[in-house]
Amino acid sequence: QSALTQPASVSGSPGQSISISCTGTSSDVGGYDFVSWFQQHPGRAPKLLIYTVTTRSSGVSDRFSGSKSGNTASLTISGLQADDEADYYCSSYTSSSTLVFGGGTRVTVL
Amino acid sequence: LLMQPGGNLVQPGESLRISCEASGFIFDSYSMNWVRQAPGKGLEWVSYISHTGSLIYYAESVKGRFTVSRDNAKNSMYLEMHSLRAEDTAVYYCARDNPPGDLWGQGTVVIVSS
């Protein structure tokens, strides 16, 4: 199972909106509404932000939102803040009953 | 809470068992996953075990070498790793599965080196 494709890096200024794409196939992202997004700060465990494509995890700011079209899912961060600087990973359930992660995207707040 | 013991250093070809102990929730109601992260790299899913232990899946990279198990009476999950290779060096996280990754342990460092 190949990793899902994410851009290596995305940057934005405070207050701006950015989007991170996550491209898979019809055997994972496109075939199931089980796409999740995680945030990971250096040296910390990942934190669940979004699951089932659009559902925010408990306590997560509404500045984070998810969507999906075909084989590509997206995470949008609006009102970018300094603390949003982190690595972001998507994941998807697959037709093999496994999970697959994206390669990760480093978000930089300029 | 998911508690994971500290790091381990093993030689190539050796075996190791790591553990994950749950508290604060009804452990036997949840499926669980192991996810690893090599130094400076992204997340890699390793294994899944259902709440009863009857359903188990592995990533191709560890199939035949790693075995996941759980003891619901001890609120614990285990990952037994055999024929360890340098490329298995990583932080190994346990993660609850409802939804996938809604709760993570702090990770166990496994270093495979001679």
Side-chain angles (χ1 to χ4, degrees):
Chain A
Q1 183 72 45
S2 299
L4 307 176
T5 301
Q6 297 181 232
S9 63
V10 173
S11 62
S13 299
Q16 284 187 330
S17 292
I18 62 169
S19 287
I20 303 168
S21 61
C22 170
T23 301
T25 69
S26 58
S27 295
D28 39 65
V29 175
Y32 306 92
D33 285 337
F34 292 117
V35 175
S36 299
W37 289 92
F38 299 88
Q39 177 192 61
Q40 187 181 35
H41 285 106
R44 305 289 297 274
K47 171 189 174 183
L48 178 65
L49 297 175
I50 302 282
Y51 61 98
T52 54
V53 180
T54 60
T55 306
R56 269 186 300 277
S57 185
S58 177
V60 172
S61 169
D62 59 5
R63 297 186 301 105
F64 295 90
S65 61
S67 63
K68 191 183 85 166
S69 177
N71 295 337
T72 298
S74 297
L75 173 72
T76 298
I77 308 174
S78 58
L80 200 61
Q81 299 178 359
D83 190 51
D84 297 334
E85 189 160 289
D87 293 325
Y88 291 81
Y89 295 90
C90 61
S91 76
S92 175
Y93 182 75
T94 80
S95 59
S96 303
S97 299
T98 62
L99 276 177
V100 61
F101 283 95
T105 298
R106 173 68 53 87
V107 168
T108 302
V109 181
L110 302 172
Chain B
L1 197 63
L2 294 172
M3 291 296 297
Q4 298 184 248
N8 302 269
L9 172 63
V10 297
Q11 297 196 346
E14 290 188 339
S15 299
L16 179 69
R17 187 178 87 155
I18 60 175
S19 63
C20 170
E21 183 175 354
S23 63
F25 64 94
I26 303 173
F27 181 66
D28 61 11
S29 293
Y30 290 86
S31 301
M32 299 289 294
N33 291 282
W34 286 101
V35 177
R36 68 182 180 183
Q37 186 169 35
K41 303 296 185 182
L43 301 174
E44 179 189 14
W45 174 80
V46 172
S47 184
Y48 163 94
I49 184 167
S50 63
H51 66 290
T52 61
S54 61
L55 209 53
I56 286 173
Y57 299 104
Y58 297 101
E60 285 298 322
S61 57
V62 306
K63 198 176 288 185
R65 298 188 301 124
F66 288 14
T67 301
V68 63
S69 62
R70 64 191 295 161
D71 184 340
N72 287 341
K74 295 183 178 179
N75 290 334
S76 293
M77 177 177 68
Y78 309 97
L79 186 67
E80 195 149 350
M81 303 179 284
H82 300 282
S83 303
L84 282 162
R85 309 164 179 165
E87 54 265 37
D88 294 318
T89 294
V91 177
Y92 284 75
Y93 294 102
C94 58
R96 199 169 66 176
D97 191 72
N98 189 25
D102 74 325
L103 180 66
W104 294 69
Q106 78 275 26
T108 292
V109 175
V110 174
I111 299 173
V112 184
S113 175
S114 54

